[in-house]
Amino acid sequence: MNQSNPRRPKRGSYQPKPETVALLKVSGNPINGLGETIPRRASAFFWHPPDQHPYGELQIVARQSSRKCPGAGAAFQAAYNYPELIPVADVRNEAPAEQLAAEATSFTLSHQADAVGITSMDPLYVFEGYTISEPWVIVLALAHNYERLKEVPSDETNGVGVCDVGDQYARGTRASYALTNWIRSQGYNANPYPGPMASALLLIPPAIASGLGELGKHGSLISRQFGSGVRLAGVTTDMPLVPTKPDRFGADEFCKTCQACTNACPPRAISEQKQMVRGVERWYVDFDKCIPYFAESASCGICIAECPWTRPTARPKLLATMASRR
Ligand code: B12
Ligand code: SF4
Ligand code: SF4
């Protein structure tokens, strides 16, 4: 744990405020399908419209706690500054799928995204109650600035970490809207899913399928290029494309013995063992333990900042170690 960061509670000392606990009216773990053995779509809850799930008031508290940090209001305002979408052009670019995939990738990388993956749509990527008709998902990765991210959690005295979160969401908004409009200009339908709200598309599963990284013990994606310090955005489309391959570089294996995030998480929300969730055995974060601290501490983010893969100086050594073990 980063003991020099005065905003982080010492291990084991965090207790949620009674008014926060009072807003956690039902457990989120059954909603997430913890213990369920049959695959199903994820239920829409946090970061969906606050009147449509049991944590609406807690969501408002979480938003307020991040917006009171210096600079965060403007940073998130930029993330919600959605550009206008153009209509789909009448004339189609009839190039082969390989060429269209290469052009879409190069367009995205030259419009603020740091990495791109492509995968075919799976109904399990779409939240229950939503519909997406396009057969392809393009996932965009937006890297955090490590020096800024490691300042989390933020509060009224220091908003550096949460501002970097807002800034990367804003890049995701600009990049995903630019790509959507480019695809539409080529005569194909496309829709952007940039966040910060959850919207219809679950982002980590298509990101893993398209090779942007592996799932870490802390429940976030770990990328070979950026570690855990990375935001995601999506674009769905009916433009013919070619999928990119999954990337296994040893992150899942490394998590089996590393405890950096479990030790750093103030409410001890990160499970040591994989668990069965909606029919898949995988790493899982206890929602009920995470959410009070998340809501009180400007969206926390300690787990992704403390993950050794996120440190630019550590990443090459970890990659080499894991490659030598395979
Ligand atoms: C709701 C939400 C939250 C909620 C609830 C999360 C939860 N797990 O219950 C709260 C507010 C607690 C939260 C916290 C955080 N979040 Co959040 N969150 C989302 C959001 C909007 C929807 C995800 C969701 O509904 N999860 C609920 C269910 C589905 O969770 P789950 O079953 O445990 O599955 C999780 C993973 O295992 C994976 N997953 C889901 N299905 C499957 C299937 C398979 C086979 C696998 C391998 C993985 C997998 O995705 C889920 C991510 O929560 C996504 C954006 C999006 N549209 O996807 C961002 C997102 C997942 N969050 C993100 C981040 C970074 C965080 C935080 C670190 C906060 C921060 N400051 O950035 C913490 C991490 C703590 C945690 N618990 O995960 C990033 C992750 C980026 C990355 N590197 O992977 C995302 C993608 C936002 C973005 N646009 O970049 N988050
Ligand atoms: S975001 Fe949640 S899981 Fe991650 S360190 Fe904070 S409280 Fe723990
Ligand atoms: S901190 Fe360690 S255990 Fe946690 S996700 Fe990163 S590598 Fe895995």
Side-chain angles (χ1 to χ4, degrees):
M1 166 146 37
N2 181 353
Q3 298 288 5
S4 62
N5 185 330
R7 293 174 301 285
R8 290 191 194 176
K10 287 208 168 49
R11 193 171 175 217
S13 70
Y14 168 71
Q15 286 296 328
K17 294 177 187 162
E19 57 269 35
T20 311
V21 177
L23 296 179
L24 190 62
K25 289 169 187 150
V26 295
S27 169
N29 296 322
I31 295 176
N32 278 344
L34 180 62
E36 288 181 26
T37 53
I38 297 173
R40 66 160 171 89
R41 293 178 184 207
S43 306
F45 74 151
F46 219 84
W47 296 137
H48 287 266
D51 56 345
Q52 290 174 21
H53 61 84
Y55 312 106
E57 291 170 88
L58 203 47
Q59 190 166 300
I60 291 165
V61 170
R63 182 181 296 266
Q64 286 166 346
S65 101
S66 77
R67 299 307 189 273
K68 72 187 177 199
C69 307
F76 278 88
Q77 190 55 50
Y80 285 107
N81 191 8
Y82 300 124
E84 208 165 310
L85 290 173
I86 62 168
V88 176
D90 294 335
V91 181
R92 278 197 160 173
N93 178 345
E94 300 286 0
E98 289 76 11
Q99 188 181 324
L100 292 172
E103 284 180 24
T105 301
S106 121
F107 179 92
T108 315
L109 293 175
S110 62
H111 287 77
Q112 303 196 16
D114 297 310
V116 184
I118 301 173
T119 189
S120 53
M121 177 58 85
D122 181 326
L124 291 174
Y125 299 163
V126 182
F127 281 105
E128 191 59 57
Y130 290 80
T131 306
I132 296 180
S133 54
E134 293 85 25
W136 291 99
V137 188
I138 306 175
V139 190
L140 284 52
L142 301 308
H144 276 285
N145 175 322
Y146 176 66
E147 292 304 316
R148 299 178 75 208
L149 180 66
K150 73 182 187 191
E151 293 286 325
V152 297
S154 300
D155 65 12
E156 296 95 325
T157 68
N158 182 319
V160 172
V162 75
C163 282
D164 202 56
V165 173
D167 288 350
Q168 304 323 327
Y169 272 122
R171 277 206 300 144
T173 293
R174 293 192 291 270
S176 60
Y177 271 72
L179 175 62
T180 299
N181 277 339
W182 178 78
I183 294 174
R184 289 182 176 206
S185 76
Q186 304 302 302
Y188 297 96
N189 197 21
N191 285 299
Y193 298 91
M197 293 299 277
S199 192
L201 184 67
L202 191 55
L203 289 166
I204 293 178
I208 294 172
S210 69
L212 289 178
E214 299 181 41
L215 185 70
K217 192 184 273 183
H218 52 20
S220 293
L221 172 123
I222 304 177
S223 130
R224 173 194 289 272
Q225 283 175 280
F226 317 112
S228 307
V230 64
R231 296 270 128 196
L232 301 170
V235 171
T236 58
T237 182
D238 60 6
M239 173 181 259
L241 294 170
V242 178
T244 44
K245 290 191 177 61
D247 184 22
R248 300 293 304 256
F249 52 90
D252 176 74
E253 194 59 33
F254 187 82
C255 285
K256 288 177 185 154
T257 50
C258 172
Q259 294 187 316
C261 59
T262 46
N263 287 341
C265 171
R268 302 183 184 205
I270 301 170
S271 315
E272 277 291 353
Q273 305 298 328
K274 290 187 179 180
Q275 304 195 54
M276 181 59 74
V277 187
R278 300 193 304 281
V280 182
E281 191 168 270
R282 58 174 167 83
W283 302 115
Y284 182 75
V285 175
D286 187 319
F287 176 82
D288 302 355
K289 290 185 183 161
C290 167
I291 200 68
Y293 187 73
F294 177 96
E296 291 173 5
S297 67
S299 305
C300 184
I302 294 172
C303 48
I304 57 169
E306 281 301 298
C307 176
W309 291 96
T310 308
R311 277 203 307 278
T313 48
R315 209 156 45 237
K317 293 175 204 152
L318 292 173
L319 279 171
T321 306
M322 297 319 288
S324 71
R325 283 198 210 164
R326 304 189 121 211

